[in-house]
Amino acid sequence: MEPFRLLHPDLVPHRRESLRHAASMLVQMGLDDTVLSAPPVHQRLARVVLASSDVIEWTPGYGVQTGHDERFGIVRVGGDRGGVFLSGILIAYLDVLENAARMGTSVSEDSWRTLLWAPTALFDHVLRRPQVGMTVVTPGPGTEHLPHERAQSGQRLYLALMQAVRFAVSGVVRAQDDSPLVEDCVTLATACLRAATVALEFARDVGAGRPLPIVETSEHRFLWQMISEVRAAVPRARFDQFAAALRRLNDVYTASPLLVVGS
């Protein structure tokens, strides 16, 4: 698989206003979350366009690669933060969908729906769109055996979704005086955590049953640092949902120091 561009953690946007221009541009080009339900030929074309520097401005070589970046073919970049952030999430989803179509998956229909809801929730949040229903078609059985690509695409999506969690949690903390926005942000964070859990389940769905390598991302550390502020900022019911999503992620990825301590 070709290198996957991901923002340096320090460049992850904090406010939805910083994503609105990029989101609107992608909608106008037909390259928003709706592309994830498009026919495969359109998805392949969308991936090529999203990865093009002619569409998304990015600056290579930002920061130092970590061991897990090298393992999963990730290149940290700067540039158009909103464009890189949103296109990276969509590219990661498109790679997962392609792998699932070729290899099949044992991920349940409910979990698949949870996985695919997060990008729609993100675009809804950024563009203030009304929520609508969605149709999810689970992948067929597949005929190929691509365990390396499966693990890599699942892990890449997991890391991209954890940046989305970071974005949403930053919104919770920064919007404490705006109760509707706080609830919207924590709801998005919860949706992305749930989707990140499914992404890890997908990465493990190779038949071997071996545990994932231990990776403590900067997003883990950030959430651990912010968990008390989230608890103080949001209604109890919303926080309980957020905490339950963290515990579920902990069940799948028990080696994470954040999830052991923060849940």
Side-chain angles (χ1 to χ4, degrees):
M1 297 176 70
E2 65 184 58
F4 175 63
R5 297 194 299 266
L6 200 63
L7 281 176
H8 185 278
D10 292 343
L11 299 181
V12 173
H14 295 158
R15 301 176 184 273
R16 64 180 171 187
E17 290 77 13
S18 59
L19 298 181
R20 193 162 294 152
H21 174 74
S24 297
M25 178 192 71
L26 292 173
V27 168
Q28 291 172 4
M29 297 178 66
L31 296 174
D32 59 336
D33 56 297
T34 59
V35 77
L36 302 181
S37 59
V41 63
H42 292 167
Q43 291 183 351
R44 288 191 289 271
L45 177 60
R47 195 204 185 286
V48 172
V49 176
L50 286 167
S52 170
S53 59
D54 294 333
V55 176
I56 304 298
E57 178 190 352
W58 55 277
T59 305
Y62 194 97
V64 179
Q65 280 188 293
T66 64
H68 69 267
D69 281 353
E70 294 179 359
R71 185 183 305 121
F72 301 124
I74 293 169
V75 177
R76 299 286 175 170
V77 301
D80 175 5
R81 299 187 190 188
V84 172
F85 179 80
L86 292 173
S87 66
I89 290 173
L90 292 172
I91 288 171
Y93 266 97
L94 290 168
D95 286 346
V96 162
L97 290 174
E98 181 181 8
N99 180 272
R102 296 173 64 185
M103 188 175 169
T105 179
S106 65
V107 172
S108 70
E109 182 176 351
D110 285 346
S111 292
W112 201 248
R113 182 180 298 275
T114 296
L115 181 69
L116 292 178
W117 172 245
T120 295
L122 176 59
F123 274 86
D124 286 350
H125 171 78
V126 172
L127 298 173
R128 300 186 180 185
R129 300 186 310 197
Q131 292 186 0
V132 297
M134 58 185 293
T135 301
V136 175
V137 179
T138 54
T143 58
E144 301 180 55
H145 185 58
L146 305 165
H148 175 72
E149 291 81 357
R150 165 64 51 90
Q152 190 172 66
S153 63
Q155 285 273 11
R156 287 176 171 185
L157 179 55
Y158 163 73
L159 292 170
L161 283 167
M162 289 302 290
Q163 287 202 341
V165 175
R166 183 184 186 120
F167 159 75
V169 168
S170 295
V172 170
V173 175
R174 290 173 179 269
Q176 291 186 20
D177 296 330
D178 186 342
S179 296
L181 180 56
V182 165
E183 290 202 36
D184 195 21
C185 288
V186 75
T187 299
L188 175 62
T190 302
C192 291
L193 274 174
R194 290 169 176 165
T197 300
V198 180
L200 284 185
E201 292 173 340
F202 180 82
R204 295 166 62 106
D205 184 27
V206 295
R210 290 179 294 178
L212 292 168
I214 296 173
V215 176
E216 183 189 25
T217 68
S218 59
E219 282 69 39
H220 288 144
R221 294 188 291 273
F222 173 79
L223 286 177
W224 180 62
Q225 293 165 359
M226 304 304 292
I227 192 73
S228 296
E229 294 189 49
V230 174
R231 187 195 303 270
V234 306
R236 175 62 183 271
R238 295 294 189 187
F239 179 78
D240 287 348
Q241 293 172 350
F242 177 79
L246 277 174
R247 286 194 295 270
R248 174 58 186 148
L249 185 57
N250 184 49
D251 290 341
V252 175
Y253 208 2
T254 55
S256 169
L258 163 71
L259 298 174
V260 171
V261 177
S263 61

